[in-house]
Amino acid sequence: MLTVPLTLGLGLAALVTSFLSGLFGMAGGMVLMGLLLVLLPVSSAMLLHGITQMTANGWRAWLWRRHVQWGIVARFLLGGAVAVGVFTLIRYVPGKAESLILLGLSPFMAMAVPSHWSPNVSRRGHSTLAGLLCMGVQLIAGISGPLLDVFFVKSSLSRQSVVATKATMQVFGHLFKTVYFGSLVAASETEALDITVTALCIGMAVLGTNLSRRVLDAMSDAQFRSWSQRLVALTGTVYLGQGLFLLVVR
């Protein structure tokens, strides 16, 4: 059982990170994943993160449902299903250090892609490739937002369409992750997920997403892209340092 202060802290983290995700479509999930990896075993952290982010993204997708590009989502799911199938066969569970390192590296790997190589999620083959790569990274690092964002850089979608379509993709991505790690937690004798913490995080995820809507409406497309890049770069640096430290001391 988690202590009351830790339970409330996780609820507050879910609120703040869902607000960030509502604005930028990815930064909040990255922050929350890093916190959960520090506080919980890997499988439990992945499961709670999946449930929380599935709720936040699901509510965000509903709020912006008029802007969802469903063709892109369908092709993304095809690639994601292949990645989940491979991981299900090998039953891989990453260590905390490896998860944090990949989590920290993900925004920098995305930024390192030359602009003339950047894929376009609006193209059929590219959206399927996004599903394959992003789902694989998500099952190791817990998030794939920075990598997924690379596929949106050259698209002509508005910020509302970017947030709505990414949110819908992430709903299914986190659903796959929840099922995968949920089966591992259920089979474990040492890991379990507290129902109170889960319910609190779900409620805070919905509240944080609602609070972000007016702020996103007030932002320009330029502000949206600029602040999201700064935030994920800063967060990535912190988690990369944490992961390398754990790798050295273990």
Side-chain angles (χ1 to χ4, degrees):
M1 288 289 292
L2 297 176
T3 63
V4 173
L6 184 54
T7 299
L8 294 176
L10 287 172
L12 180 60
L15 174 66
V16 174
T17 55
S18 295
F19 178 82
L20 289 175
S21 289
L23 286 182
F24 305 116
M26 60 177 174
M30 187 177 179
V31 174
L32 182 61
M33 189 70 252
L35 291 173
L36 293 179
L37 283 172
V38 172
L39 298 173
L40 300 172
V42 173
S43 292
S44 295
M46 292 287 191
L47 178 56
L48 181 57
H49 183 269
I51 293 171
T52 303
Q53 287 296 294
M54 187 167 55
T55 303
N57 281 284
W59 188 243
R60 186 160 65 252
W62 173 254
L63 291 176
W64 298 101
R65 59 191 179 278
R66 294 188 298 108
H67 301 277
V68 176
Q69 302 296 309
W70 288 105
I72 294 175
V73 173
R75 295 188 291 270
F76 175 88
L77 289 178
L78 177 61
V82 174
V84 172
V86 172
F87 272 77
T88 300
L89 288 175
I90 62 177
R91 305 285 288 180
Y92 176 69
V93 179
K96 282 194 176 185
E98 290 79 4
S99 291
L100 284 167
I101 289 172
L102 185 55
L103 184 63
L105 282 175
S106 58
F108 299 106
M109 290 189 295
M111 292 175 189
V113 177
S115 59
H116 60 280
W117 287 358
S118 294
N120 187 336
V121 75
S122 299
R123 297 177 182 173
R124 292 190 177 186
H126 292 199
S127 51
T128 304
L129 178 63
L132 178 64
L133 296 179
C134 292
M135 197 64 242
V137 170
Q138 191 158 317
L139 291 174
I140 298 175
I143 62 100
S144 59
L147 178 59
L148 181 58
D149 197 50
V150 172
F151 288 84
F152 281 86
V153 169
K154 285 197 171 182
S155 74
S156 58
L157 303 178
S158 68
R159 65 187 183 280
Q160 289 92 344
S161 289
V162 169
V163 169
T165 305
K166 284 179 64 178
T168 306
M169 289 175 166
Q170 296 284 46
V171 167
F172 291 102
H174 289 298
L175 175 60
F176 288 152
K177 184 176 73 177
T178 298
V179 172
Y180 179 76
F181 284 102
S183 65
L184 296 179
V185 170
S188 173
E189 297 180 356
T190 59
E191 292 191 47
L193 200 58
D194 189 283
I195 295 178
T196 302
V197 172
T198 304
L200 179 62
C201 287
I202 288 174
M204 292 298 100
V206 173
L207 178 59
T209 301
N210 281 336
L211 292 175
S212 68
R213 190 175 185 183
R214 285 190 178 182
V215 182
L216 179 62
D217 271 333
M219 293 177 71
S220 67
D221 285 345
Q223 289 174 321
F224 169 78
R225 298 186 188 280
S226 175
W227 280 105
S228 61
Q229 289 176 356
R230 293 176 186 176
L231 185 57
V232 296
L234 175 62
T235 306
T237 301
V238 173
Y239 292 151
L240 180 58
Q242 286 180 326
L244 291 173
F245 175 77
L246 287 178
L247 195 63
V248 170
V249 300
R250 76 179 182 184

